[in-house]
Amino acid sequence: MAEAEQALRTLAHNVRAARHRAGLSLDELGRRAKVSKGALVGLEKAQGNPNFATLVRLADTLGVSVSALMEGPTEGRVRVVTADAVTPLWTGARGGQARLMLTTSGPAPVEVWRWRLEPGEEYPSHPHQAGVVETVSVTAGRMTLVVDGTEHPVEAGQTATFDADAPHTYRGAGTETCHLVMTVHLPPGPATPA
């Protein structure tokens, strides 16, 4: 329980700091991210339990990575992260998972995710801010990548990339579990006003 409380306090601090850096009021951040002011107030007080979609919308609006909202200060020059050390940020109805492994530093950070999708399981994502590019590399199994309504099969050993400012969905395909590594390339600097 103490670990979850500390994670929520870190999230609260990071959201508040990113909102101040962006010069946004709670009302304006809520409007742009489509999150209620009450939920934001609770979040900045380290209360509540924001879901993955809310974290993605806040990160997009603030022009930061999801992990920038969740991580404490970095320690040392090299960071090694094991999959079992990272809590899934999404869990599907059939047991699939998405784990944000890490985010690179610098003006245009890259998030590195590990996904597992069971056959027929899917994760629909809202469009991200302009300039966000996602890349998926399937390491085992098959998936269907749906971007703006068009389906693209991606099999083990294949990699696909797309501009993520359109609706997109990851769907497990075939009869075996699909394992993939996803990277989210974020544009430099804070998001532009909507």
Side-chain angles (χ1 to χ4, degrees):
M1 184 68 161
E3 213 173 283
E5 290 172 5
Q6 180 56 45
L8 192 54
R9 283 194 298 274
T10 299
L11 176 63
H13 173 269
N14 291 344
V15 168
R16 186 172 40 257
R19 180 175 63 80
H20 287 196
R21 277 192 309 274
L24 298 175
S25 67
L26 284 166
D27 287 325
E28 185 62 15
L29 176 58
R31 184 186 70 74
R32 292 183 189 183
K34 297 181 175 99
V35 176
S36 74
K37 181 180 178 182
L40 287 174
V41 168
L43 179 58
E44 288 193 4
K45 289 182 177 181
Q47 299 168 346
N49 185 17
N51 65 29
F52 177 54
T54 298
L55 293 176
V56 170
R57 286 194 309 271
L58 287 171
D60 276 351
T61 303
L62 293 166
V64 299
S65 66
V66 172
S67 64
L69 295 179
M70 300 179 61
E71 294 178 350
T74 58
E75 299 174 15
R77 294 175 67 93
V78 176
R79 183 171 37 136
V80 177
V81 180
T82 60
D84 59 350
V86 180
T87 303
L89 291 179
W90 172 79
T91 302
R94 297 180 184 178
Q97 295 183 339
R99 295 175 187 258
L100 177 57
M101 301 305 295
L102 60 85
T103 301
T104 62
S105 59
V110 175
E111 297 176 349
V112 179
W113 293 78
R114 284 192 185 182
W115 283 75
R116 184 180 76 224
L117 293 167
E118 297 302 326
E121 189 170 50
E122 65 180 39
Y123 176 77
S125 179
H126 71 284
H128 298 294
Q129 65 175 306
V132 173
V133 175
E134 291 190 15
T135 301
V136 293
S137 294
V138 176
T139 59
R142 296 173 37 207
M143 71 171 290
T144 300
L145 172 65
V146 183
V147 179
D148 210 12
T150 302
E151 294 188 359
H152 306 272
V154 186
E155 299 184 11
Q158 294 182 325
T159 300
T161 189
F162 61 97
D163 294 331
D165 59 353
H168 51 283
T169 299
Y170 297 139
R171 182 183 312 131
T175 58
E176 299 176 16
T177 301
C178 177
H179 294 271
L180 62 106
V181 175
M182 176 185 72
T183 58
V184 180
H185 304 261
L186 303 166
T192 56

